[in-house]
Amino acid sequence: MSDFISSGWSYWVTIIALGGVAFCLWLLFTQRSFLKKDVEADNTGHEWDGITEYNYPVPTWWTVMYVGLCAVGLGIMFLYPALGSNPGQVGYTSVKQAEEEKAAYLESLKPVYAKFDGQTIEQLAANEDARKLGERLFLNNCAQCHGSDAKGSPNFPNLTDSDWLWGGNPEQIHQTITEGRHGMMAPLAAVVSNEEANQIAHYVRSLSGLSSDPTLAPLGQVKFQAVCAACHGMDGKGNQLLGAPNLTDNVWLNSSSREVIVKTILEGRSGIMPAQKNTLTPEQIKMLAAYVWGLSNNK
């Protein structure tokens, strides 16, 4: 409540909070004559099956409770961040509570990972206990995109094969998990016509042995080398420094259909692997990197 970016909202929340309590007290004050014990009950005129409905004054205990709740509400507003940007006297924030709970949780995990101190990623990948920890980390943090079997889905890489966009050695995988990646295929509609994109698509399909038009593929090769080779290389084998995929191995991040390739050429694509350095501890990242590396290296 206290993390407002505009003072106007802070004032508005403060007015509503205090105004609500003030309205309750005003209501009790203006109706105090009706709250007295000697006030007779009013007959509402409603009767059904011999039962008459009366409008009785509320009991004294209810009035006292109402005033007491208003006092409690004011006390909470004074102690906790309920009045706009005022942090309250105890200095509580939900962010601070979350950070404290996270710190306590991470502290409790240290003994779990302590026995793996000093081991390399390759050694961890060969350790059954470490693999089990890595698998749990993967299922909790990575399976949403890469699948529980790590075989990916359209636009999310398969982590069980030997095809890597940014490199598949232990250090590169560790770097990817820690810092994240942002792969971008620039849209080329400004420099490539629909017809030229179709020609390039036929050439790209021919690189991995897929069916293509033998009359259009050579034309696509010329345009590919002029526009696409800067990232994918003259031979189409990609560049892991840029995250540019190898187009000759018949492994496709999205689809190998000509229509999808043409759409990708003209409109581009953007894929983000979020950094985990602010979510996982260094020990967890290392364990996760070992598990991922082991998926394609412990055969």
Side-chain angles (χ1 to χ4, degrees), residues 41 53 63 67 80 128 140 173 185-186 194 213 234 238 255 258 277 280 285 292:
E53 180 181 4
T63 304
V67 174
Y80 293 92
E128 183 178 357
N140 288 331
I173 295 174
M185 162 70 185
N194 289 352
D213 189 322
M234 295 294 288
S255 171
R258 182 192 58 80
K277 61 183 177 182
L280 303 176
I285 290 176
V292 172

Short mmCIF file of all heavy atoms in Angstrom, two decimals, residues 41 53 63 67 80 128 140 173 185-186 194 213 234 238 255 258 277 280 285 292:
data_model
loop_
_atom_site.label_atom_id
_atom_site.label_comp_id
_atom_site.label_asym_id
_atom_site.label_seq_id
_atom_site.Cartn_x
_atom_site.Cartn_y
_atom_site.Cartn_z
N ALA A 41 -39.98 -0.17 20.35
CA ALA A 41 -39.85 -0.77 19.03
C ALA A 41 -40.97 -0.29 18.12
O ALA A 41 -42.11 -0.14 18.56
CB ALA A 41 -39.86 -2.29 19.14
N GLU A 53 -43.63 -8.01 12.41
CA GLU A 53 -42.23 -7.57 12.30
C GLU A 53 -42.08 -6.21 12.97
O GLU A 53 -42.81 -5.26 12.66
CB GLU A 53 -41.83 -7.47 10.83
CG GLU A 53 -40.39 -7.01 10.64
CD GLU A 53 -40.01 -6.88 9.17
OE1 GLU A 53 -40.89 -7.07 8.31
OE2 GLU A 53 -38.85 -6.57 8.90
N THR A 63 -23.34 -1.51 19.87
CA THR A 63 -22.82 -0.15 19.73
C THR A 63 -21.38 -0.07 20.22
O THR A 63 -20.51 0.53 19.58
CB THR A 63 -23.70 0.84 20.50
OG1 THR A 63 -25.06 0.72 20.06
CG2 THR A 63 -23.22 2.27 20.31
N VAL A 67 -18.00 0.88 18.01
CA VAL A 67 -17.03 1.92 18.35
C VAL A 67 -15.64 1.30 18.55
O VAL A 67 -14.63 1.85 18.14
CB VAL A 67 -17.48 2.69 19.61
CG1 VAL A 67 -16.40 3.68 20.05
CG2 VAL A 67 -18.79 3.42 19.35
N TYR A 80 0.34 0.26 10.72
CA TYR A 80 0.69 -0.39 9.45
C TYR A 80 0.45 0.55 8.27
O TYR A 80 -0.25 1.56 8.40
CB TYR A 80 -0.12 -1.68 9.29
CG TYR A 80 0.24 -2.74 10.29
CD1 TYR A 80 -0.45 -2.84 11.50
CD2 TYR A 80 1.28 -3.62 10.04
CE1 TYR A 80 -0.10 -3.81 12.43
CE2 TYR A 80 1.63 -4.60 10.96
CZ TYR A 80 0.94 -4.69 12.16
OH TYR A 80 1.28 -5.65 13.07
N GLU A 128 23.70 -39.09 -8.81
CA GLU A 128 22.26 -39.38 -8.82
C GLU A 128 21.49 -38.43 -7.92
O GLU A 128 20.41 -37.93 -8.30
CB GLU A 128 22.01 -40.83 -8.40
CG GLU A 128 20.54 -41.22 -8.46
CD GLU A 128 20.31 -42.67 -8.08
OE1 GLU A 128 21.32 -43.39 -7.84
OE2 GLU A 128 19.14 -43.09 -8.03
N ASN A 140 10.07 -27.22 -11.46
CA ASN A 140 9.47 -26.06 -10.81
C ASN A 140 9.70 -24.76 -11.55
O ASN A 140 8.90 -23.82 -11.43
CB ASN A 140 10.01 -25.92 -9.38
CG ASN A 140 9.48 -26.98 -8.45
OD1 ASN A 140 8.38 -27.48 -8.64
ND2 ASN A 140 10.25 -27.34 -7.44
N ILE A 173 25.73 -23.19 -20.78
CA ILE A 173 24.41 -23.45 -20.20
C ILE A 173 24.25 -22.70 -18.88
O ILE A 173 23.21 -22.10 -18.60
CB ILE A 173 24.20 -24.97 -19.99
CG1 ILE A 173 24.18 -25.68 -21.35
CG2 ILE A 173 22.91 -25.24 -19.22
CD1 ILE A 173 24.11 -27.19 -21.26
N MET A 185 15.10 -12.56 -34.33
CA MET A 185 15.18 -12.63 -35.78
C MET A 185 14.54 -11.36 -36.30
O MET A 185 13.34 -11.13 -36.14
CB MET A 185 14.43 -13.87 -36.30
CG MET A 185 14.07 -13.85 -37.76
SD MET A 185 15.49 -14.03 -38.84
CE MET A 185 14.71 -13.80 -40.44
N ALA A 186 15.34 -10.47 -36.91
CA ALA A 186 14.84 -9.17 -37.35
C ALA A 186 13.84 -9.33 -38.50
O ALA A 186 14.05 -10.15 -39.38
CB ALA A 186 16.01 -8.29 -37.79
N ASN A 194 7.68 -10.36 -50.79
CA ASN A 194 7.03 -11.64 -50.54
C ASN A 194 7.58 -12.73 -51.45
O ASN A 194 7.79 -13.87 -51.03
CB ASN A 194 5.52 -11.51 -50.76
CG ASN A 194 4.85 -10.69 -49.67
OD1 ASN A 194 5.48 -10.34 -48.67
ND2 ASN A 194 3.58 -10.38 -49.85
N ASP A 213 11.45 -26.23 -54.26
CA ASP A 213 11.38 -26.02 -55.70
C ASP A 213 12.80 -25.79 -56.23
O ASP A 213 13.44 -24.81 -55.86
CB ASP A 213 10.49 -24.81 -55.99
CG ASP A 213 10.19 -24.65 -57.48
OD1 ASP A 213 11.09 -24.92 -58.30
OD2 ASP A 213 9.06 -24.26 -57.80
N MET A 234 27.34 -17.94 -44.28
CA MET A 234 27.18 -18.21 -45.71
C MET A 234 26.72 -19.65 -45.95
O MET A 234 26.04 -19.93 -46.93
CB MET A 234 28.51 -17.96 -46.43
CG MET A 234 28.95 -16.50 -46.42
SD MET A 234 27.85 -15.42 -47.35
CE MET A 234 28.24 -15.93 -49.03
N GLY A 238 24.58 -21.17 -38.87
CA GLY A 238 24.28 -20.38 -37.68
C GLY A 238 25.49 -19.81 -36.98
O GLY A 238 26.64 -20.00 -37.40
N SER A 255 8.69 -24.16 -36.89
CA SER A 255 8.14 -25.10 -37.86
C SER A 255 8.97 -25.03 -39.13
O SER A 255 9.53 -23.98 -39.47
CB SER A 255 6.68 -24.76 -38.17
OG SER A 255 6.19 -25.52 -39.27
N ARG A 258 6.97 -24.15 -45.28
CA ARG A 258 7.36 -23.00 -46.08
C ARG A 258 6.61 -21.74 -45.63
O ARG A 258 7.19 -20.65 -45.56
CB ARG A 258 7.07 -23.29 -47.57
CG ARG A 258 7.49 -22.17 -48.52
CD ARG A 258 6.93 -22.39 -49.91
NE ARG A 258 5.47 -22.48 -49.88
CZ ARG A 258 4.66 -21.40 -49.84
NH1 ARG A 258 5.18 -20.18 -49.81
NH2 ARG A 258 3.36 -21.55 -49.81
N LYS A 277 19.08 -15.42 -12.15
CA LYS A 277 20.02 -15.05 -11.09
C LYS A 277 19.33 -14.36 -9.91
O LYS A 277 19.87 -14.35 -8.79
CB LYS A 277 21.11 -14.14 -11.65
CG LYS A 277 20.60 -12.83 -12.25
CD LYS A 277 21.75 -12.04 -12.85
CE LYS A 277 21.24 -10.75 -13.50
NZ LYS A 277 22.37 -10.01 -14.13
N LEU A 280 16.94 -17.86 -8.36
CA LEU A 280 17.61 -19.03 -7.81
C LEU A 280 18.96 -18.64 -7.21
O LEU A 280 19.58 -17.65 -7.62
CB LEU A 280 17.81 -20.08 -8.90
CG LEU A 280 16.56 -20.56 -9.64
CD1 LEU A 280 16.94 -21.52 -10.75
CD2 LEU A 280 15.58 -21.22 -8.67
N ILE A 285 21.42 -22.75 -9.43
CA ILE A 285 21.70 -22.56 -10.86
C ILE A 285 22.72 -23.59 -11.34
O ILE A 285 22.57 -24.18 -12.41
CB ILE A 285 22.19 -21.12 -11.11
CG1 ILE A 285 21.05 -20.13 -10.91
CG2 ILE A 285 22.77 -20.99 -12.53
CD1 ILE A 285 21.45 -18.68 -11.05
N VAL A 292 20.49 -30.00 -16.88
CA VAL A 292 20.23 -29.72 -18.29
C VAL A 292 21.35 -30.25 -19.17
O VAL A 292 21.11 -30.87 -20.22
CB VAL A 292 20.03 -28.20 -18.51
CG1 VAL A 292 19.95 -27.88 -20.00
CG2 VAL A 292 18.77 -27.72 -17.79
#
